[in-house]
Amino acid sequence: MNNTAPSPDAEKRKAAFEKRLAERYSAEKRFKFLGLAAITFSVMVLVVLLGNMLYNGVAGFQRDELRVTVNLAESGISGDSNTLALPNAVQSLELQGLPDVVSFAAEQSLGAEGAQQISAEGWREVADRVIANPALLSEETTFWLAASGDLAQGVNGEGSPEIQQLAEQLQANGHLESNFDFGFLTRSDATDPQQVGIWGALKGSILTMIVTLLLAFPIGVLAALYLEEYAPKNRWTDVLEVSINNLAAVPSIIFGLLGLAVFLWMFPNFRSAPIIGGMTLALMTMPVIVISGRNAIKAVPPSIRDGALAVGASPVQVVFHHVLPLALPGILTGTIIGMARALGETAPLLMIGMRAFVATPPDGFTSPATVLPVQIFLWSDEIDRGFIERTSAAIIVLLLFLLLMNGLAIYLRNKFEKSW
Amino acid sequence: MSPVFLILLALGLGLAGWLAGRARAWSFLRASEEKRVVARPTYHAWYVALWVGIPLLLFAVIWATFSPALILQSVLASSAAEALPQFGFQRDAILAEAKAVALGNATSVFNPAAAELVEPFRDAITRYNIMGGGLALAMSLITGIWSYTRLNPQFTARVRVERAVMAILLLASLVAILTTFGILASLIFETIRFFGMVSPIDFLFGTHWNPDPMANPEAPQGDRYGAIPLFWGTIFIGAIIAMIVAIPLGLMSAIYLTQYASPTWRRWLKPALEILAGVPTVVYGYFAALTVAPFIRDLALSLGISNASSESALAAGLVMGVMIIPFVSSMADDSIAAVPQAMRDGSLAMGATKSETIKRVLVPAALPGIVAGVMLAISRAIGETMIVVMAASTAANLTANPLEAMTTVTVQIVAQLTGEGSFDHPATLSAFALGLVLFMVTLALNFFALRVVKRFREAYE
């Protein structure tokens, strides 16, 4: 064996080999880098998306407000806690001239030009405060009232030069401030971005979700129990299974068409009511609950069923006394995830007329309502720039709710996860 | 009688029946000396409760369906109804107004003709409410007492209750079939009406889409309902642009997460992808319309493309692709994890690098699963609504330029059904025909994806 001096041929081969190896290693590095780049891109998009919403949305929780000092004691407006508790209290204050009192006080505090920039509905906020606290009628109080949309634009450096100048001047005097707007969480839709709130949409969402849960959860769990525990293996149950799997994959807008053609035909008076929205979303959520429920039931070990059967339990007792309680955490996790999806769903609700302008929170399951995602969609169509911030703020609220639901699902999964 | 009241009545009486049945069964247990009673008292209780509650609930449903017609009939029979106009529309409006006042939903009538009818309505509603409540009460009492008298120590209450439980379970699972049937029936029924006005050939092969909801429905303009531009827009945005984004990014993310990332990183990155999957589509749509679309337009303008539109197919497709990334990634993740470890070990033992193993062994072995995942992703993308509604336009446009405005099937479904058109107009009905096409296509994609997955599983078992 000649191993002292490698032949030039072998030398060449070794060089080629090393070059190939180096190439392969760099290909390996490139590939790994591509993978990292792909996932980094996804995370970056998420960060940009959330950052964008937060950046715009923080301003959406604020409102430009003007300081108005109203001396209600000298205004001649009367009222006591009894009369102000009546449902027509706002009307009575209006008849007593509260709007004029407020605009007069505004002129006193802000000057003629500034007073014009109080939102037209500003006196209603004073009225609400007075109704909540009739003692205000006997003293001088400083109110922060919503500025008009024009002035809000001026604050942002938009609109005519005059209005920008006015905004600057009012800000310098301390009469104009951007304050945190608690009302955003308690008011409903309006035409002026300074006056809108999300409570109406949020309440509509909650009512719709209640209907969805009440329908989808029992039906979904019972169907999952039947399919997993009792259903005989035949063509009939195959049809059942295929239709459930297909329903889980049907585009959501098709459920909207179903709701429109069937539910609204059956109940034409309940157009855009939470009950119809809830029924439509329940049909969409039910397959998700069935599929996750079946997985949870499948995870319960057969020995538990055998044990129960061995001591004389009937098949129904086995399932309802033993299998279902053990599978319930898993079913609940799936249900919460399904409900979170339903909460963010928009398209089917547009189909059944939940896109109407609803300025009062719904009082019940049958009154016209809108839901949070639809409210976001409606505001996103508004031309007024103030709505951009409001839309982002509403998105933050929606995302918080989703985060809460998903957090609950993860908590449940971790808490009750069992390995048999 | 309001259905809610009947349901509460059913629950209350059911509880009473439950308690009565249970008490009776306990009395058997105490009376019998050797304590031989076939079923536990709870089952006797449930037996009575079911016999009280279920007939009552069935009655509530039937009563809620038929009583409005009965009330209307008795109002029309009253003397005040003789003054009603014969015209359908006006007549209905007056009747509806009177009924709203009688029910307490409205405080006063606008139309003086309706004022006369309020009292007959109120009378009829009270009469039928009392009648319905009485009937319901009587029926549940009869069935309850009958079931109560059947109880005896030898009565096989458990078997019967369990039979009822099984029936309820079966009914619950039938809801899925009913829903599928409802979807198909409503889509097909309205589509047939649409095709009665516009020929299916015009619809499926026409290249001009511009429905006019204000046009005379008697003279359908078949040449305005050519859906090819919509199909093209859907495919271009959902199956081409979105997939160009989603497939490589999703696949590479899955590969990095499963093969390269350290457990710590995986613990952080995977939930991040899940958050991306959980963001509502309306938020993506807003992001696309507000941020991505203007950005793309400005970019195109700065590159010297002057006709870039602010509502471009590219913006909608890109954002939709991002939305689909987690979906593709989790499907790819599953199918790569299903490849047997031995194949990976074998490849590495031969001296292949990690990336070579992935490219030459893992991905080809997992390919059927990945393909199925891509098919499901496409079916999801073409059914996606909010992103395209908000970021794509409503102008049908048959072009391959991603910077131009384009519209999709789902956008047009929303556009046609949220307009002012009446339900008998071909423009409105066209939404159902589009819905049927969408339903069929997504079903076919899902069907093939499942077939591919099934075949794939057989390879390793």
Side-chain angles (χ1 to χ4, degrees):
Chain A
M1 279 289 183
N2 175 16
N3 55 3
T4 46
S7 68
D9 197 32
E11 192 87 354
K12 217 157 110 208
R13 269 218 306 272
K14 194 175 171 215
F17 174 78
E18 263 165 10
K19 196 170 159 229
R20 222 167 39 233
L21 197 62
E23 242 165 51
R24 285 173 61 203
Y25 280 147
S26 64
E28 164 79 24
K29 269 196 198 114
R30 274 201 304 278
F31 191 74
K32 190 173 168 183
F33 175 76
L34 274 181
L36 188 62
I39 193 132
T40 313
F41 175 79
S42 309
V43 175
M44 283 295 290
V45 172
L46 183 65
V47 170
V48 168
L49 178 83
L50 296 182
N52 198 334
M53 296 307 152
L54 274 178
Y55 176 74
N56 282 320
V58 167
F61 285 109
Q62 292 181 333
R63 185 164 78 156
D64 294 317
E65 292 176 334
L66 289 164
R67 188 170 68 183
V68 178
T69 308
V70 188
N71 192 343
L72 286 167
E74 287 179 5
S75 67
I77 291 177
S78 67
D80 53 57
S81 48
N82 287 331
T83 52
L84 288 176
L86 295 174
N88 61 352
V90 175
Q91 261 174 313
S92 123
L93 288 172
E94 186 179 8
L95 287 175
Q96 291 188 57
L98 185 66
D100 294 334
V101 171
V102 171
S103 56
F104 177 73
E107 243 170 84
Q108 296 286 311
S109 344
L110 305 167
E113 255 184 294
Q116 281 178 0
Q117 298 304 331
I118 297 267
S119 162
E121 302 289 302
W123 66 272
R124 284 184 192 275
E125 291 175 36
V126 177
D128 288 341
R129 286 274 298 279
V130 168
I131 289 167
N133 181 12
L136 293 178
L137 281 175
S138 56
E139 53 196 67
E140 192 180 69
T141 321
T142 301
F143 294 96
W144 285 96
L145 301 180
S148 69
D150 288 344
L151 191 63
Q153 282 190 339
V155 174
N156 292 334
E158 290 155 27
S160 64
E162 293 90 55
I163 203 102
Q164 289 187 31
Q165 205 182 352
L166 180 66
E168 262 172 46
Q169 186 201 330
L170 286 169
Q171 270 175 325
N173 295 345
H175 289 310
L176 176 64
E177 273 181 20
S178 289
N179 291 331
F180 183 80
D181 183 16
F182 280 106
F184 183 65
L185 300 173
T186 57
R187 289 187 305 254
S188 288
D189 200 3
T191 45
D192 178 2
Q194 289 278 80
Q195 295 288 350
V196 298
I198 53 164
W199 173 237
L202 199 58
K203 194 173 177 196
S205 267
I206 293 169
L207 291 176
T208 308
M209 286 299 108
I210 290 174
V211 176
T212 305
L213 186 67
L214 286 182
L215 287 173
F217 182 68
I219 295 178
V221 172
L222 293 178
L225 283 177
Y226 180 76
L227 286 176
E228 201 55 41
E229 294 287 330
Y230 303 114
K233 274 270 155 266
N234 59 26
R235 182 183 282 180
W236 176 235
T237 48
D238 276 352
V239 172
L240 260 176
E241 211 153 306
V242 167
S243 65
I244 285 179
N245 287 333
N246 277 339
L247 279 186
V250 168
S252 60
I253 194 169
I254 302 283
F255 286 95
L257 290 176
L258 171 74
L260 177 67
V262 176
F263 294 150
L264 279 187
W265 170 73
M266 275 159 62
F267 310 102
N269 297 335
F270 295 160
R271 205 176 161 76
S272 63
I275 185 154
I276 298 285
M279 280 158 76
T280 309
L281 291 181
L283 293 183
M284 215 186 83
T285 314
M286 197 256 318
V288 179
I289 297 179
V290 173
I291 290 170
S292 69
R294 289 187 67 176
N295 288 332
I297 293 166
K298 219 182 270 170
V300 176
S303 58
I304 288 185
R305 295 181 185 82
D306 296 344
L309 283 171
V311 295
S314 74
V316 171
Q317 284 173 326
V318 169
V319 165
F320 281 89
H321 296 180
H322 300 275
V323 176
L324 188 57
L326 289 172
L328 210 52
I331 298 176
L332 283 182
T333 314
T335 305
I336 294 171
I337 289 169
M339 292 300 289
R341 225 176 87 181
L343 177 64
E345 199 55 73
T346 321
L349 300 178
L350 293 184
M351 296 287 92
I352 56 162
M354 284 186 109
R355 56 175 284 142
F357 176 83
V358 182
T360 48
D363 344 300
F365 292 108
T366 51
S367 48
T370 188
V371 295
L372 210 40
V374 175
Q375 187 75 79
I376 290 167
F377 174 66
L378 292 176
W379 284 352
S380 76
D381 254 4
E382 298 278 350
I383 302 154
D384 197 325
R385 261 202 60 87
F387 272 107
I388 293 180
E389 290 165 354
R390 293 300 200 178
T391 311
S392 302
I395 285 176
I396 292 175
V397 175
L398 178 64
L399 289 179
L400 277 180
F401 266 87
L402 289 177
L403 214 62
L404 225 67
M405 285 172 88
N406 283 313
L408 186 66
I410 292 169
Y411 171 77
L412 273 178
R413 188 158 55 199
N414 291 343
K415 178 152 187 185
F416 293 101
E417 199 169 48
K418 261 183 213 154
S419 46
W420 304 92
Chain B
M1 193 73 22
S2 79
V4 177
F5 179 80
L6 283 175
I7 288 168
L8 287 179
L9 188 70
L11 289 178
L13 287 176
L15 182 66
W18 193 87
L19 290 171
R22 196 174 138 91
R24 181 109 193 263
W26 272 110
S27 74
F28 297 148
L29 261 184
R30 275 193 293 273
S32 64
E33 280 168 14
E34 68 275 29
K35 307 269 181 199
R36 287 291 299 171
V37 174
V38 173
R40 301 286 309 153
T42 324
Y43 286 100
H44 288 95
W46 276 112
Y47 180 73
V48 178
L50 286 175
W51 265 111
V52 172
I54 289 177
L56 191 50
L57 285 180
L58 285 179
F59 179 78
V61 172
I62 294 169
W63 191 253
T65 325
F66 288 106
S67 67
L70 291 174
I71 290 172
L72 190 65
Q73 211 172 24
S74 87
V75 170
L76 291 180
S78 71
S79 55
E82 280 164 18
L84 272 176
Q86 292 300 316
F87 296 114
F89 184 71
Q90 206 178 350
R91 192 184 165 96
D92 289 348
I94 291 173
L95 285 171
E97 206 177 321
K99 190 176 178 184
V101 175
L103 284 170
N105 292 343
T107 45
S108 59
V109 289
F110 287 109
N111 195 329
E116 294 278 298
L117 285 166
V118 170
E119 274 313 306
F121 251 116
R122 200 167 280 157
D123 287 347
I125 288 170
T126 320
R127 195 161 62 243
Y128 279 101
N129 272 352
I130 291 171
M131 204 188 278
L135 274 175
L137 209 60
M139 197 174 58
S140 66
L141 277 181
I142 290 171
T143 54
I145 288 169
W146 177 76
S147 62
Y148 185 77
T149 54
R150 290 191 71 192
L151 302 184
N152 62 55
Q154 269 68 53
F155 184 66
T156 51
R158 193 182 86 179
V159 177
R160 281 155 210 273
V161 169
E162 292 189 345
R163 223 177 270 159
V165 169
M166 292 303 282
I168 292 171
L169 289 183
L170 186 62
L171 274 179
S173 47
L174 286 186
V175 171
I177 287 189
L178 270 181
T179 311
T180 312
F181 181 76
I183 287 176
L184 272 177
S186 55
L187 290 181
I188 289 175
F189 182 70
E190 307 289 349
T191 305
I192 288 173
R193 277 176 67 195
F194 172 67
F195 283 153
M197 304 177 198
V198 174
S199 122
I201 313 262
D202 285 348
F203 175 72
L204 288 175
F205 301 108
T207 56
H208 177 66
W209 177 268
N210 187 17
D212 178 7
M214 292 301 139
N216 179 11
E218 301 301 322
Q221 301 147 302
D223 55 334
R224 280 170 168 262
Y225 290 93
I228 289 280
L230 309 188
F231 299 149
W232 166 245
T234 308
I235 291 170
F236 193 54
I237 293 178
I240 298 177
I241 301 178
M243 289 305 130
I244 287 176
V245 175
I247 294 172
L249 287 173
L251 199 55
M252 288 309 291
S253 299
I255 287 171
Y256 187 80
L257 276 181
T258 54
Q259 309 297 322
Y260 289 109
S262 69
T264 333
W265 269 109
R266 195 157 51 233
R267 233 189 353 260
W268 285 100
L269 289 175
K270 222 172 152 121
L273 278 186
E274 276 167 14
I275 293 177
L276 210 55
V279 172
T281 54
V282 68
V283 177
Y284 278 117
Y286 186 63
F287 182 61
L290 189 78
T291 311
V292 180
F295 176 74
I296 287 174
R297 186 200 51 208
D298 294 345
L299 197 69
L301 287 179
S302 70
L303 290 176
I305 305 165
S306 55
N307 61 346
S309 153
S310 64
E311 292 176 315
S312 62
L314 191 59
L318 282 180
V319 174
M320 197 191 277
V322 168
M323 184 193 85
I324 304 279
I325 288 175
F327 187 77
V328 173
S329 138
S330 80
M331 295 291 289
D333 196 337
D334 290 347
S335 48
I336 288 175
V339 176
Q341 183 67 27
M343 290 172 74
R344 193 175 335 210
D345 292 346
S347 166
L348 291 172
M350 298 280 287
T353 62
K354 233 175 175 178
S355 65
E356 285 162 349
T357 307
I358 292 164
K359 279 188 280 195
R360 308 261 169 87
V361 179
L362 291 187
V363 171
L367 202 57
I370 294 171
V371 169
V374 167
M375 277 174 149
L376 292 180
I378 293 176
S379 108
R380 208 162 193 212
I382 65 173
E384 168 48 41
T385 311
M386 293 323 290
I387 294 178
V388 284
V389 165
M390 292 164 89
S393 82
T394 50
N397 202 347
L398 198 56
T399 167
N401 179 359
L403 293 172
E404 277 192 46
M406 226 173 267
T407 192
T408 67
V409 170
T410 47
V411 172
Q412 287 305 317
I413 293 176
V414 173
Q416 301 309 322
L417 282 178
T418 51
E420 300 293 314
S422 85
F423 230 74
D424 297 318
H425 197 281
T428 313
L429 292 175
S430 70
F432 288 91
L434 291 174
L436 188 64
V437 173
L438 185 65
F439 182 73
M440 289 301 177
V441 172
T442 50
L443 267 198
L445 281 169
N446 281 298
F447 182 73
F448 285 120
L450 285 182
R451 285 285 292 270
V452 171
V453 166
K454 232 175 203 173
R455 197 166 285 177
F456 159 67
R457 278 205 183 128
E458 280 164 5
Y460 292 113
E461 271 169 6

